Amino acid sequence: MSVPPGASLRTAARKAVEGGVRAEETLLYAYFRLAANPDQTIKPGDYEITRGMTPQLLLDKLVRGDRIVLAVTLVEGWNFKQVRAALARAEHLRPETRDMSSDAIMKALGLPGVHPEGRFFPDTYNYTKNTSDLAVLRQSLHLMDKQLAAAWEARSPGLPLKSASEALILASIIEKETGAHGDRPEISGVFINRLKIGMRLQTDPTVIYGLGDKFDGNLRRTDLTTDTPWNTYTRAGLPPTPISMPGRASLIAAVQPASTRSLYFVARGDGSSHFSGSLDEHNRAVNKYQRGIR
């Protein structure tokens, strides 16, 4: 059953009967009037009606606001475009941001001028029918702020990161580099070592992000030399913004890197990475795992 905002007890009784409650509308309304406390109000929304539900159980549900709950999941590693697409597909989520630019969305969230990438925490968010997608984004934004602040507070000493925002950028790269939980601190250690000695990060996910819609799934050598603000082959240091939505494990890895001498890593092909401290060792690993040369 669906109860509109500002519904009276009489309206609630009518909607209940229309929704499938087996009762006379006048009798149900009379019961509501007798059983409801004067300070109790009916909460608007959509409610599940079950077989054999008593008038008292129904009234309790309406007063508590025990409405049908829907959910949308934002996945680790997604970019903001993917987040917006997921919200647009979500069932009964009001598309308040549909015609808004990214800048307008961030302004509506109270962060004018802030780039949206990486600013939202990947999780499953519950909502009721006709909730605004902006409300879900606001919840996700606040959760990322909380997770990022906690990670930054627990950071290791001596990091070449000037702020929590830089930690977020690094975490977003780590998120895209691996799905192996155990490799995240080691990958972070590689990037931290490179930042400390002024070596370029040279990480493919940043290049792909910089290509945007031009990326067709095949990263070419020419892409690595085509300069964009996010190309860490052509530019030193961190890119200007995050490139994805990092989860908690990547946030922690960014600020608590493994203590390692490694400066290189290459995917083994099984989801994990091989780490190397020298270029010669790295080239041998590339030949082994990427080119099949033993």
Side-chain angles (χ1 to χ4, degrees), residues 21-290:
V21 173
R22 291 188 173 183
E24 291 288 339
E25 179 182 328
T26 54
L27 293 178
L28 187 58
Y29 168 56
Y31 179 83
F32 283 173
R33 286 191 61 190
L34 291 172
N37 294 328
D39 58 343
Q40 288 180 326
T41 58
I42 300 295
K43 308 296 192 302
D46 294 293
Y47 294 85
E48 182 180 8
I49 303 299
T50 58
R51 184 183 297 274
M53 179 176 286
T54 65
Q56 184 61 55
L57 288 176
L58 176 57
L59 179 61
D60 291 343
K61 182 186 285 276
L62 295 174
V63 169
R64 288 196 310 270
D66 187 11
R67 292 159 284 202
I68 295 173
V69 176
L70 303 166
V72 60
T73 298
L74 307 182
V75 179
E76 294 174 351
W78 275 3
N79 58 34
F80 190 54
K81 183 178 180 180
Q82 291 171 305
V83 169
R84 295 194 66 176
L87 295 179
R89 293 191 303 266
E91 184 181 11
H92 300 304
L93 190 63
R94 179 160 49 87
E96 186 176 350
T97 67
R98 180 172 52 197
D99 298 323
M100 297 171 66
S101 67
S102 295
D103 289 344
I105 290 173
M106 296 307 289
K107 183 177 180 180
L109 291 171
L111 292 174
V114 175
H115 198 281
E117 204 65 77
R119 294 299 315 176
F120 303 91
F121 191 75
D123 204 346
T124 295
Y125 295 93
N126 296 326
Y127 63 93
T128 56
K129 185 178 179 180
N130 206 37
T131 294
S132 167
D133 56 2
L134 195 61
V136 175
L137 283 175
R138 184 173 289 107
Q139 186 180 356
S140 181
L141 175 69
H142 290 166
L143 186 53
M144 177 57 86
D145 286 344
K146 181 178 179 180
Q147 293 285 351
L148 178 58
W152 185 245
E153 183 68 23
R155 67 189 182 279
S156 299
L159 295 180
L161 302 173
K162 300 182 182 68
S163 65
S165 293
E166 289 195 351
L168 181 62
I169 293 172
L170 179 57
S172 76
I173 298 172
I174 296 168
E175 189 66 59
K176 295 299 289 185
E177 277 288 5
T178 185
H181 180 81
D183 280 356
R184 287 189 178 99
E186 190 81 11
I187 287 175
S188 178
V190 168
F191 289 141
I192 290 295
N193 287 344
R194 289 188 168 203
L195 289 171
K196 283 182 175 179
I197 63 175
M199 182 178 176
R200 293 179 182 179
L201 297 184
Q202 297 183 318
T203 168
D204 292 354
T206 63
V207 178
I208 292 170
Y209 183 83
L211 291 173
D213 293 336
K214 295 179 182 178
F215 180 64
D216 61 4
N218 182 26
L219 190 64
R220 300 169 176 82
R221 185 175 296 274
T222 184
D223 296 327
L224 303 182
T225 58
T226 300
D227 185 53
T228 75
W230 290 271
N231 189 333
T232 52
Y233 284 83
T234 60
R235 300 196 183 197
L238 293 166
T241 72
I243 62 169
S244 74
M245 191 164 52
R248 185 175 183 276
S250 292
L251 289 171
I252 294 299
V255 297
Q256 295 180 8
S259 178
T260 178
R261 293 186 177 182
S262 296
L263 287 171
Y264 307 89
F265 63 92
V266 62
R268 287 194 176 101
D270 61 359
S272 66
S273 298
H274 177 91
F275 297 88
S276 304
S278 69
L279 183 57
D280 285 344
E281 182 187 353
H282 175 64
N283 287 336
R284 288 194 297 270
V286 170
N287 286 335
K288 177 180 180 179
Y289 294 112
Q290 300 291 311

